[in-house]
Amino acid sequence: MVQSKMAASILQRCLRPVQTFSKCVDYRSIARRCLLSSAYTDTAVWEQRQKDLQDLGQLASLMDRTYERKFPVSSLVIGRFIDSLSSREEVDQAEYYLYKFRHSPNCWYLRDWSVHSWFRQCLKYGARDKALYTLKNKVQFGMFPDDFTFNLLIDSFIKDNDFKGACSVVEEVMLQESFERISTQILSLSALSKHLATKPELSWQEERIMGASLMLVGLKQENSVGFSARLLGYSLIGKVELSRGIHAVFHQMPLIWTSGYLGRALAVMDAVCSDLRDVKLSEEVMDHVEKILQELSEISDGQSDTDTLLDEEDQLERLKLPEYINRFKELKERLLAQDKVDPRSLESLVSALTRQTLAVCEDADLSEYRRTVRDWEAERQQLIQRERETKEKNLKERLKKQAQ
């Protein structure tokens, strides 16, 4: 009896630290470590470059006088202006000068490093809303970031659990068709899957954007995540096609205008059934597709007034819906029989892929980023030298005229 009490006491003392740890640990911080590392988001490489910081008021005055005289502001001046921002208030004020430069004769010469610097400054001074605003209005402000900058923006939103904001950035990646970098693919899939996990109420426009993003990034991944994303992406686009017509699908979107997106979704299921040994489809995604087909069936039964929006080709595609539904049921049964349905959600599948892949991608990205910064700096120094030579030439000409 004494021994049993002693054993129980020892066991209790051993378990107490574990219980304390389980109470104190922040599991959200563990999830965060599956995203970009501190080395990736560190500003050291960027901050170590040679800067040409100047008084912001003097730069603003210089640009104002230059525009008043109908002369173009140089890319170096707007670049210095962005680099010299030092507060949230100054970031807000900079929007005016970005707009003015974009609508000036030199609009095509906003340098890549200035675009990168702008988004860095927005993140640094808590102006992420301003970063997103100028990104969404990229034509008005000339903000077309590279993949590395996109990654920093997506990661920033995800880490603050703003998945809708992260998806807004992913939308811009999709519109620019910039899913070439594996890290961008993983971050985009993470944002999309986490946002879907909140079960948001999406408008048809948002469904189209979500579908296009899932489809295009899914086509870059030859694994369970990629095929599950493709399936859901094609299905969401197919829902828009059958309810509003093919023109609503491809208008201002990087999508083909050929009808049959639901047929392409079923082709993904068929490919997994027939050819792909190690690929499974997420059960959650399958359920989502089934729900989409059910909603479309109700529309087809006359519970929607959108028929007037559909032309003959769209009506013919809608007539295929019963065939699509039967085909889906057949393929689902085959997938279940072949054990090719993964019980995990899309978010869980993406999280597993992130843990396996992202760290390796980061090393390659950082090496390329360092080279890019060096190239940017070399080009900037050449422009500074050219600017210096031009000023000296102009000064000599003025002195010569005064001597005459």
Side-chain angles (χ1 to χ4, degrees), residues 5 10 146 162 181 187 212 214 230 256 269 283-284 288 303 359-360 383 389 392:
K5 287 183 178 180
I10 293 172
D146 61 4
D162 185 356
R181 194 176 295 222
L187 287 167
L214 285 166
R230 292 180 214 179
I256 62 173
M269 296 176 67
E283 184 177 14
E284 177 194 60
H288 203 140
Q303 298 182 19
V360 177
L383 291 174
E389 292 172 354
E392 291 175 355

Side-chain angles (χ1 to χ4, degrees), residues 3-139:
Q3 289 179 339
S4 64
K5 287 183 178 180
M6 184 181 297
S9 176
I10 293 172
L11 179 62
Q12 188 175 10
R13 288 199 301 270
C14 292
L15 286 177
R16 189 174 294 121
V18 177
Q19 292 169 346
T20 303
F21 171 78
S22 64
K23 290 179 181 178
C24 297
V25 68
D26 182 357
Y27 290 100
R28 286 179 299 177
S29 68
I30 292 178
R32 285 187 176 194
R33 286 199 290 271
C34 296
L35 300 172
L36 294 179
S37 67
S38 57
Y40 198 104
T41 57
D42 185 35
T43 61
V45 174
W46 181 245
E47 297 294 341
Q48 286 172 2
R49 78 195 197 287
Q50 184 178 351
K51 296 181 182 180
D52 188 12
L53 301 182
Q54 299 187 17
D55 182 85
L56 207 64
Q58 292 181 1
L59 286 172
S61 178
L62 171 63
M63 287 190 287
D64 289 338
R65 292 196 309 272
T66 304
Y67 286 131
E68 287 173 3
R69 297 167 63 189
K70 307 298 183 183
F71 290 155
V73 168
S74 75
S75 63
L76 285 174
V77 172
I78 193 68
R80 290 173 185 134
F81 185 80
I82 294 171
D83 285 342
S84 299
L85 299 173
S86 59
S87 69
R88 168 64 200 250
E89 183 181 3
E90 291 176 354
V91 170
D92 290 338
Q93 295 170 352
E95 178 187 325
Y96 167 78
Y97 290 99
L98 291 174
Y99 181 87
K100 287 283 290 183
F101 187 85
R102 179 61 175 173
H103 292 80
S104 73
N106 271 359
C107 60
W108 300 110
Y109 297 102
L110 184 63
R111 305 295 173 175
D112 291 342
W113 61 80
S114 296
V115 174
H116 181 72
S117 181
W118 166 250
F119 289 110
R120 285 275 196 188
Q121 297 286 59
C122 288
L123 294 178
K124 181 178 181 179
Y125 295 111
R128 197 169 54 198
D129 58 327
K130 189 65 65 177
L132 187 57
Y133 176 75
T134 52
L135 178 63
K136 301 296 284 186
N137 294 277
K138 53 188 176 294
V139 175

Side-chain angles (χ1 to χ4, degrees), residues 78 95 115 124 126 148 188 211 217-218 256 287 296 317 321 341 350 353 355 377 390 394-395:
I78 193 68
E95 178 187 325
V115 174
K124 181 178 181 179
F148 192 91
S188 298
V217 70
I256 62 173
D287 292 342
L296 288 173
E317 181 63 23
L321 182 58
V341 177
V350 172
L353 179 65
R355 290 191 294 270
E377 186 59 21
T390 302
N394 291 338
L395 178 59

Side-chain angles (χ1 to χ4, degrees), residues 316-363:
L316 290 173
E317 181 63 23
R318 179 177 285 188
L319 291 175
K320 298 179 183 178
L321 182 58
E323 177 187 342
Y324 288 149
I325 293 174
N326 291 331
R327 181 63 173 156
F328 172 80
K329 292 177 180 178
E330 294 173 3
L331 289 169
K332 183 178 179 181
E333 290 179 1
R334 287 176 58 190
L335 288 166
L336 289 169
Q338 297 176 22
D339 190 29
K340 289 191 173 182
V341 177
D342 196 312
R344 291 175 293 178
S345 66
L346 180 61
E347 182 184 10
S348 297
L349 289 172
V350 172
S351 296
L353 179 65
T354 301
R355 290 191 294 270
Q356 296 168 6
T357 313
L358 190 55
V360 177
C361 298
E362 285 191 4
D363 293 338

